[in-house]
Amino acid sequence: MAHLLPLTLVVMTRNEAQKIARCLDSVPFAAEKLVVDSGSTDNTAAIARAHGARVLHQDWLGFGPQRNFAAAQCSHPWILMLDADEYLTPALIDELQQRLPALMESDGAAAVLRRHLIYMGRPMRWYRPAVGEKMARFYHRDRARWSDARVHESLQFKGFPVTMKAPFLHDNNPSLVEKQLKILLYAELKCRDWLDKNKPARMWQTPFVFALAFIKDYVLRLGFLDGWRGYAISQTAASYAAYKRMRYYEMRQNPASRDTATAALTRSGLDH
């Protein structure tokens, strides 16, 4: 049995019944496991409780605010935050158990973990963002906080984080269908952030953004070395970069589309 460390594992969920058990079970050393659910209609909450988690409900606030809400509910100030489709590897479990006690006794703020992507059922081997992507996921809630962005939030803190060597895994969208649906949601959230900031709509940039984003991912980030999977992930990233600009332009040109899009996402269960 793993030695428990005084930290809280936090997972935010909505309809993650197929994944939540694996995620929770991959952190056997967490003294507390907290699931903040935003309205699951499947067995997510029951499964989470069966696997040792305390479950709270919170209506969706946006990724950054939801993470900060969750952090405030933890019994311990040190927090490990994972998504439901992420889980630790045995090597990272061992490394965290060995290295976290020293960090938790220090005045440090955070630790960076390396994330490896599983895409189309297999690990990516060369595509740079999918192999060892550095993500700050372990932190002290009084020394770090998440940005208030609705999507693409980041952990903000001062100082230099500790970086772990072993990876954790991200079992990405089961199919391109789920990925495209997520793109619709993420683009909508990003555009709402742009509206709040009154960002100008520069549609003329869109063709160049698509081309540059594809070249960056497929060539500079070595997507081409992963074969057709590398092409697919690069094309999807470029399409997202272009689509969110087109959608933002539409929001500015036709404000009524904001409400109709929200209603459509809600009917499809994609409002968050």
Side-chain angles (χ1 to χ4, degrees), residues 175-187:
S175 73
L176 286 175
V177 174
E178 284 88 353
K179 180 62 177 178
Q180 293 299 322
L181 293 174
K182 184 176 287 187
I183 281 175
L184 292 175
L185 172 61
Y186 281 15

Side-chain angles (χ1 to χ4, degrees), residues 13-28:
T13 60
R14 185 170 185 261
N15 293 335
E16 299 287 1
Q18 301 300 315
K19 304 171 183 176
I20 187 61
R22 179 183 61 186
C23 177
L24 294 171
D25 292 348
S26 77
V27 191

Side-chain angles (χ1 to χ4, degrees), residues 212-229:
L212 291 173
F214 181 81
I215 291 170
K216 180 180 71 174
D217 277 17
Y218 193 62
V219 179
L220 300 181
R221 291 179 167 178
L222 306 182
F224 71 95
L225 292 177
D226 275 307
W228 287 116
R229 291 190 305 142

Side-chain angles (χ1 to χ4, degrees), residues 37 43 84 121 131 137 187 212 249 257:
D37 189 80
N43 293 326
V131 183
R137 290 296 189 86
L212 291 173
Y249 177 79
S257 70

Side-chain angles (χ1 to χ4, degrees), residues 56-248:
L56 299 178
H57 172 82
Q58 171 59 48
D59 290 341
W60 188 244
L61 303 171
F63 280 95
Q66 192 85 351
R67 291 191 190 279
N68 287 325
F69 169 84
Q73 314 308 312
C74 296
S75 301
H76 302 283
W78 284 101
I79 296 167
L80 173 62
M81 193 161 287
L82 296 177
D83 293 337
D85 58 359
E86 298 171 341
Y87 53 100
L88 304 188
T89 60
L92 183 55
I93 292 172
D94 291 342
E95 183 178 7
L96 291 175
Q97 289 182 110
Q98 293 174 16
R99 298 183 64 187
L100 287 186
L103 173 59
M104 295 168 69
E105 292 176 2
S106 74
D107 59 357
V112 167
L113 280 60
R114 300 175 186 270
R115 185 171 76 170
H116 284 196
L117 176 67
I118 297 174
Y119 185 70
M120 293 188 176
R122 292 186 289 128
M124 298 292 281
R125 297 182 59 194
W126 297 100
Y127 178 57
R128 292 299 89 194
V131 183
E133 180 183 15
K134 294 182 178 180
M135 311 191 77
R137 290 296 189 86
F138 182 74
Y139 66 100
H140 192 291
R141 68 180 173 198
D142 296 330
R143 304 168 194 166
R145 75 180 303 277
W146 295 91
S147 64
D148 290 326
R150 290 183 175 89
V151 69
H152 305 316
E153 71 287 2
S154 60
L155 187 66
Q156 302 172 331
F157 56 91
K158 294 181 180 180
F160 297 97
V162 172
T163 300
M164 300 298 162
K165 297 179 181 179
F168 71 106
L169 299 180
H170 178 205
D171 193 358
N172 201 18
N173 309 280
S175 73
L176 286 175
V177 174
E178 284 88 353
K179 180 62 177 178
Q180 293 299 322
L181 293 174
K182 184 176 287 187
I183 281 175
L184 292 175
L185 172 61
Y186 281 15
E188 202 71 15
L189 296 174
K190 188 64 178 178
C191 290
R192 294 283 179 164
D193 282 345
W194 287 346
L195 281 172
D196 290 347
K197 299 175 182 177
N198 197 28
K199 178 180 177 178
R202 299 186 177 98
M203 268 296 292
W204 64 268
Q205 295 178 345
T206 302
F208 304 102
V209 166
F210 178 89
L212 291 173
F214 181 81
I215 291 170
K216 180 180 71 174
D217 277 17
Y218 193 62
V219 179
L220 300 181
R221 291 179 167 178
L222 306 182
F224 71 95
L225 292 177
D226 275 307
W228 287 116
R229 291 190 305 142
Y231 174 85
I233 204 168
S234 301
Q235 194 276 343
T236 301
S239 295
Y240 170 63
Y243 171 76
K244 64 186 176 184
R245 285 163 174 81
M246 293 187 293
R247 175 64 184 130
Y248 183 61

